[in-house]
């Protein structure tokens, strides 16, 4: 919650049976499929899979549509994650959020060379 801003996971059970999971082990409406949980999982148990059009959080039974870079069409991140960033940040436009870092650098370099 502190890093991503989504409160999708919690602990269930006690002592040796303790697990990280979504409420009632159901697909989470609040999960934005950012993959932060899979990235920081110390045991590698949490899995996310990217297909051509979706990111699937295997453990949470959650699928989100993947957004692509407007310029080069590379996979960026789940669409809902990018939209949540736009809502949380000020002075951020769609063209910045929906463009990959490489294309943003290239466009910035072109603008600076022209000046």
């Amino acid at each position: 919650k502190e890093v991503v801003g989504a409160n999708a996971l919690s602990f269930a059970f006690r002592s040796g049976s303790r697990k990280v999971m979504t409420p009632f082990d159901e697909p989470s409406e609040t999960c934005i499929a950012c993959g932060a949980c899979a990235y920081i999982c110390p045991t590698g148990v949490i899995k996310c899979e990217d297909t051509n059009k979706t990111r699937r959080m295997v453990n949470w039974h959650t699928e989100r549509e993947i957004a692509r870079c407007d310029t080069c069409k590379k996979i960026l991140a789940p669409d809902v994650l990018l939209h949540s960033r736009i809502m949380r940040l000020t002075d951020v436009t769609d063209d910045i959020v929906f463009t990959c870092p490489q294309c943003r650098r290239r466009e910035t370099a072109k603008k600076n060379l022209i000046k």
Side-chain angles (χ1 to χ4, degrees):
K1 179 178 180 179
E2 293 87 20
V3 175
V4 179
N7 194 13
L9 303 174
S10 61
F11 289 104
F13 310 116
R14 294 184 183 179
S15 66
S17 305
R18 194 165 203 179
K19 293 171 75 175
V20 175
M21 58 194 310
T22 56
F24 308 108
D25 202 22
E26 295 288 324
S28 176
E29 292 296 317
T30 56
C31 175
I32 56 176
C34 64
C37 55
Y39 180 74
I40 65 163
C41 179
T43 61
V45 170
I46 300 173
K47 305 278 186 220
C48 66
E49 300 170 344
D50 287 343
T51 64
N52 197 26
K53 295 184 180 202
T54 61
R55 173 171 288 166
R56 182 172 173 258
M57 301 305 295
V58 177
N59 304 69
W60 321 134
H61 320 292
T62 303
E63 264 188 41
R64 299 286 185 231
E65 188 175 323
I66 294 259
R68 294 183 171 275
C69 173
D70 287 339
T71 307
C72 68
K73 305 302 180 207
K74 278 191 222 172
I75 290 175
L76 281 178
D79 196 48
V80 69
L81 172 63
L82 298 178
H83 284 290
S84 73
R85 284 186 183 162
I86 291 170
M87 299 304 280
R88 286 186 8 210
L89 302 173
T90 58
D91 300 332
V92 175
T93 58
D94 286 358
D95 60 325
I96 292 171
V97 174
F98 288 95
T99 305
C100 72
Q102 294 85 3
C103 291
R104 263 186 267 143
R105 270 190 235 106
R106 191 177 312 115
E107 289 302 313
T108 302
K110 282 181 190 176
K111 288 176 187 174
N112 288 336
L113 285 173
I114 292 172
K115 289 182 180 179

